[in-house]
Amino acid sequence: MKTILTLTLLILVASTAVLGQNPEVSEQRKLEAGNELNEGARAYKEGRYYEAQLRFEKAAALDPTQKNASFFIARATHAQFKPGVESPENVAKAREAIAAYQRALEIEPVNEEAYNAIVYLFRAIKDEVSERDWLTRGATDGRWPAEKRSQATVVLASKEWQCSYNVTERKENKRTVMRGGKALIKYRKPKEQKDYDEAAQCAARGIELVEQAISLDAASEQAWAYKTNLLVEMVKLAEMDNDMGRASEYQKQADEARQRTAELNEQNQKKRGAEGRREAGEEAGRPPQSGG
């Protein structure tokens, strides 16, 4: 609902602004473009997404200088995609929406909603290679704020963590031993050396990526949490390689990263609490709405 309302408001603003954008577009075409934007907004709000897409496309054709139309086209196309449906037609619709968002980003390179929508759609249609490429683009694009680039880098690091975890946590690669009356999990190397090598490479890449994320945003709780997880993977892999000295060092680093994560979590909770109290105070200070 919030997205629909936001889109509607943006369109209404755009339709009023379109009249003075470019003297090369006739007044009549500007008026027609504004009308198409409004009709498209109405269709979108009522769930007639294909009609909305066509309206927005017509508005863009009538007034090519209308900067917002490309994003509206992408949003209406995206709305026609059905998550979980793997039919060729539905996948094609996702790719159509991706292409539309990419065109919108050519006009407005730093549009977080368009960027995130592309990540979501690639993931939804299980195109992992394209998703990774797109995340890498976001992580290395200097036009984006460092915090946003850090977030994209953390997502890439999380994929490397998952790659390692999928190997280390296989049932056949673990055993339970009793020590001091407690059950402990011990890790052993996979039968296939290539599986171990793959996990080790993924964990090493993940550590490199998460360090990049922290260099971009040292206060990222998510980055420190994944650093902890990846260092735990390094502990398991060292144990699998019977290198207990290296395992002990990685465990020390993991404990330090876990402590930093806890500190950031506490800071963020206090910050959210203060923001909530401030918003509540502002709400309480507003005059009551008159009836009627």
Side-chain angles (χ1 to χ4, degrees):
M1 180 60 71
K2 182 178 179 181
T3 301
I4 292 174
L5 292 175
T6 301
L7 181 60
T8 303
L9 289 172
L10 284 171
I11 291 169
L12 291 174
V13 171
S15 64
T16 56
V18 73
L19 299 178
Q21 284 189 347
N22 192 327
E24 296 180 2
V25 180
S26 71
E27 292 298 321
Q28 181 59 36
R29 288 173 70 88
K30 292 174 184 177
L31 286 169
E32 291 176 5
N35 182 63
E36 290 298 331
L37 286 172
N38 280 325
E39 290 300 318
R42 184 175 293 106
Y44 187 98
K45 186 176 181 180
E46 294 174 358
R48 294 179 280 115
Y49 302 124
Y50 181 62
E51 179 185 340
Q53 177 188 344
L54 295 180
R55 293 281 191 180
F56 298 148
E57 288 174 348
K58 187 174 180 180
L62 285 164
D63 183 2
T65 67
Q66 173 50 250
K67 294 182 178 180
N68 293 315
S70 293
F71 177 74
F72 299 154
I73 292 166
R75 201 67 187 83
T77 307
H78 183 174
Q80 298 168 61
F81 171 72
K82 300 178 179 63
V85 178
E86 298 182 0
S87 68
E89 295 80 9
N90 197 46
V91 172
K93 182 58 68 175
R95 293 197 180 279
E96 182 183 352
I98 288 168
Y101 279 123
Q102 289 172 333
R103 288 192 294 272
L105 283 167
E106 290 174 3
I107 299 170
E108 186 186 355
V110 183
N111 184 317
E112 188 174 354
E113 184 173 350
Y115 174 83
N116 289 341
I118 291 173
V119 174
Y120 165 80
L121 287 165
F122 276 136
R123 189 172 300 165
I125 61 176
K126 299 180 174 61
D127 188 344
E128 187 174 347
V129 172
S130 295
E131 180 194 352
R132 189 182 292 269
D133 288 344
W134 190 254
L135 286 165
T136 301
R137 170 176 166 170
T140 57
D141 191 337
R143 293 172 297 183
W144 284 83
E147 181 183 353
K148 301 301 180 184
R149 292 167 59 198
S150 176
Q151 290 171 4
T153 308
V154 171
V155 176
L156 289 167
S158 73
K159 291 181 177 296
E160 300 297 347
W161 167 79
Q162 189 68 57
C163 165
S164 177
Y165 185 86
N166 288 344
V167 174
T168 60
E169 288 299 315
R170 289 178 190 166
K171 185 177 180 180
E172 63 270 22
N173 297 335
K174 301 188 295 181
R175 59 191 177 92
T176 303
V177 298
M178 299 301 297
R179 184 174 297 170
K182 295 182 179 180
L184 301 175
I185 301 296
K186 305 296 288 183
Y187 292 88
R188 52 191 175 194
K189 185 175 286 190
K191 291 181 179 179
E192 297 290 337
Q193 180 66 33
K194 65 179 181 61
D195 291 341
Y196 175 86
D197 292 342
E198 179 184 11
Q201 290 166 10
C202 288
R205 283 196 300 266
I207 290 288
E208 182 179 348
L209 285 165
V210 84
E211 291 291 4
Q212 290 176 18
I214 291 171
S215 71
L216 288 165
D217 182 6
S220 170
E221 179 184 343
Q222 187 180 36
W224 281 97
Y226 267 105
K227 181 174 182 177
T228 304
N229 293 341
L230 282 157
L231 285 166
V232 169
E233 288 302 301
M234 298 299 280
V235 172
K236 298 179 198 175
L237 291 162
E239 186 176 313
M240 286 178 170
D241 209 27
N242 292 318
D243 189 338
M244 302 314 294
R246 189 158 53 98
S248 178
E249 178 57 32
Y250 282 132
Q251 185 61 60
K252 179 181 177 182
Q253 293 178 36
D255 292 341
E256 292 171 352
R258 185 179 290 106
Q259 177 61 33
R260 181 57 179 154
T261 304
E263 291 170 358
L264 289 169
N265 178 264
E266 183 177 358
Q267 292 173 16
N268 289 333
Q269 285 186 355
K270 288 180 179 178
K271 182 179 178 181
R272 287 190 291 268
E275 290 173 350
R277 289 190 295 274
R278 183 176 64 252
E279 290 174 1
E282 291 172 355
E283 183 68 26
R286 293 192 183 105
Q289 296 291 326
S290 60

